[in-house]
Amino acid sequence: MKANPHYLDLRGSYLFSTIGKKVAAYQKENPDKTIIRLGIGDVTQPLTPTIIEALHMATDEMAHAETFRGYAPDLGYDFLRNAIAENDYMKRGCDIAPDEIFVSDGAKSDSGNIQEIFAEDSVIAVADPVYPVYVDTNIMSGRCGSFDESKEQWSKVIYMPCTAENGFSPQVPSEDASGKTPDLIYLCSPNNPTGSALTREQLQKFVDYANAHHSVIIYDAAYEAYISEPDIPHSIYECKGARTCAIELHSFSKNAGFTGVRLGYTVVPYDLVDENGVQMRTLWARRHGTKFNGAPYIQQRAGEAVYSPEGQKEVQGLVSYYMENAKMILEGLRDAGFTVSGGINAPYIWLKTPDGMTSWEFFDYLLDKANVVGTPGSGFGPSGEGYFRLTAFGSHANTKAAIERIKGL
Ligand SMILES: *Cc1c(COP(=O)(O)O)cnc(C)c1O
């Protein structure tokens, strides 16, 4: 036998394992130090009462033959798909039917698996820096070419740099720069890690580009609940023409705190067809039905509860809690003289490393001098070099303590 060669490049799994190792080594050498972790994008607040109640009720149903549930329907239970269509789309004036919604165990698996329904030689474009799963899963599928060490880039990937000059917003790929047109364009808005978000106008440009070039936009809306500004769209289907060019990913992880519960969904509209007229929805349905056995009934009932009036209030409470941290980080770092962005429509703060330090130099410096863990920007793409991500997902007390330590440097 022979291992899949595309799986042997470990560059992708490098970031968080390296952080973990460095922090463990530091703690071992300095057992008396209290380390504050504002590195990984995981929530810390407990599940809210409405969700707990829904989980309990659904669990109790499993105890009786009349209400017991086995395998869930492939694409999800109607009660959840209807609630999603109604609340996330119809209420926003977006034309998405329950049939176009595929319930899953989360946006990480969907964002990683969605590339399977596209041709092997598809060219991908990614915002840079961005959530590493998009590139890594295409590396594992052999689509990215070879890695250029000097540029820190994959030869076949089109990068859309997000820099201070463009306000950390990706621009539609310019044709003459690379001569390539992307088949798949990955966008994450609000973005992890920069915390920036595309305006309606900016997103419309991507939609128009994709329709003109027969590209597909894979739109990751995992942080949609954190949007606070009115000109930021909550869904790509708010843009005209998105039904013919966009797939949208959602997660219950960052809004309702389901990182350990596991629930998400993906929208593939009927109108999304390939150049031969193949409906991409049917391919995703096949993939879903063949390789996935449905999100659990109990979790789907919890997801339904997220859309109840009480559930929505509780989500608002969680989002506000984390966004208070974001404000504390933004203002604290600004006072301390850092150049910072993000933190308005997303629970991520993006800061420029001081004194020309590289992202990893600043990581070591912050760990050593303040005992605070963040994430080096270079781990999210070449344009992240010289930047650093802090998350607002800590507790108020930890966040406050971390900022005071940083201010004291
Ligand atoms: C956290 C995160 C996800 C993962 O969501 P799950 O539903 O927990 O798998 C997806 N996309 C982005 C950009 C994220 O930051």
Side-chain angles (χ1 to χ4, degrees), residues 56-69 297-298:
H56 278 300
M57 272 167 52
T59 307
D60 288 343
E61 284 180 56
M62 291 297 205
H64 306 283
E66 314 79 66
T67 47
F68 169 79
R69 312 279 182 132
Y297 174 71
I298 299 170

Side-chain angles (χ1 to χ4, degrees), residues 158 172-182 209 213:
I158 300 172
V172 288
S174 61
E175 277 135 72
D176 26 86
S178 62
K180 292 180 283 192
T181 12
Y209 175 92
H213 294 82

Side-chain angles (χ1 to χ4, degrees), residues 83-94 224 234-235 238 248 250 252 255 265 307 312:
I84 292 168
E86 160 94 24
N87 291 281
D88 286 346
Y89 296 107
M90 285 178 219
K91 278 188 185 164
R92 295 191 176 123
C94 301
E224 171 272 309
H234 287 252
S235 163
E238 290 178 38
E248 185 164 282
H250 273 256
F252 290 82
N255 58 348
Y265 70 85
Y307 294 104
Q312 286 293 292

Side-chain angles (χ1 to χ4, degrees), residues 28-50:
K28 202 168 165 213
E29 271 177 37
N30 304 275
D32 53 318
K33 302 272 203 231
T34 312
I35 294 173
I36 301 179
R37 290 159 210 267
L38 300 181
I40 291 175
D42 194 359
V43 297
T44 53
Q45 292 301 297
L47 293 174
T48 57
T50 304

Side-chain angles (χ1 to χ4, degrees), residues 41 105-109 111 131 134 188 190 192 220 222-223 250-254 258-259 262-264 348:
D105 68 343
K108 182 174 189 176
S109 31
S111 65
Y131 189 52
Y134 315 147
C188 178
N192 173 10
D220 190 339
Y223 295 96
H250 273 256
S251 167
F252 290 82
S253 286
K254 312 293 167 41
F258 278 30
T259 53
R262 311 303 310 138
L263 194 68
Y348 294 115

Side-chain angles (χ1 to χ4, degrees), residues 185-362:
I185 302 171
Y186 286 89
L187 292 176
C188 178
S189 179
N191 184 264
N192 173 10
T194 60
S196 66
L198 289 165
T199 63
R200 209 164 266 115
E201 197 184 328
Q202 288 171 328
L203 187 57
Q204 186 66 55
K205 278 194 190 144
F206 274 98
V207 169
D208 294 344
Y209 175 92
N211 277 324
H213 294 82
H214 303 290
S215 322
V216 170
I217 298 170
I218 298 167
Y219 191 74
D220 190 339
Y223 295 96
E224 171 272 309
Y226 290 85
I227 293 171
S228 68
E229 295 181 321
D231 62 336
I232 308 294
H234 287 252
S235 163
I236 194 167
Y237 302 111
E238 290 178 38
C239 293
K240 216 167 154 243
R243 282 185 56 85
T244 51
C245 71
I247 289 174
E248 185 164 282
L249 313 167
H250 273 256
S251 167
F252 290 82
S253 286
K254 312 293 167 41
N255 58 348
F258 278 30
T259 53
V261 175
R262 311 303 310 138
L263 194 68
Y265 70 85
T266 288
V267 176
V268 188
Y270 279 107
D271 301 351
L272 186 70
V273 293
D274 89 337
E275 56 192 37
N276 301 313
V278 176
Q279 253 179 7
M280 296 313 289
R281 186 192 167 282
T282 59
L283 273 63
W284 187 241
R286 179 170 187 189
R287 200 266 167 215
H288 220 65
T290 308
K291 297 196 183 181
F292 181 62
N293 239 340
Y297 174 71
I298 299 170
Q299 270 79 339
Q300 294 195 48
R301 280 292 182 202
E304 181 190 28
V306 168
Y307 294 104
S308 68
E310 312 77 54
Q312 286 293 292
K313 246 183 253 156
E314 292 168 4
V315 165
Q316 270 317 309
L318 289 172
V319 167
S320 309
Y321 182 90
Y322 295 128
M323 290 312 272
E324 276 173 44
N325 288 340
K327 188 161 181 253
M328 210 170 356
I329 300 172
L330 259 185
E331 290 175 359
L333 292 181
R334 232 171 236 149
D335 289 350
F338 286 89
T339 304
V340 284
S341 59
I344 304 291
N345 297 297
Y348 294 115
I349 284 81
W350 192 238
L351 62 106
K352 193 165 163 45
T353 57
D355 309 324
M357 278 188 222
T358 66
S359 299
W360 278 108
E361 281 167 356
F362 187 68

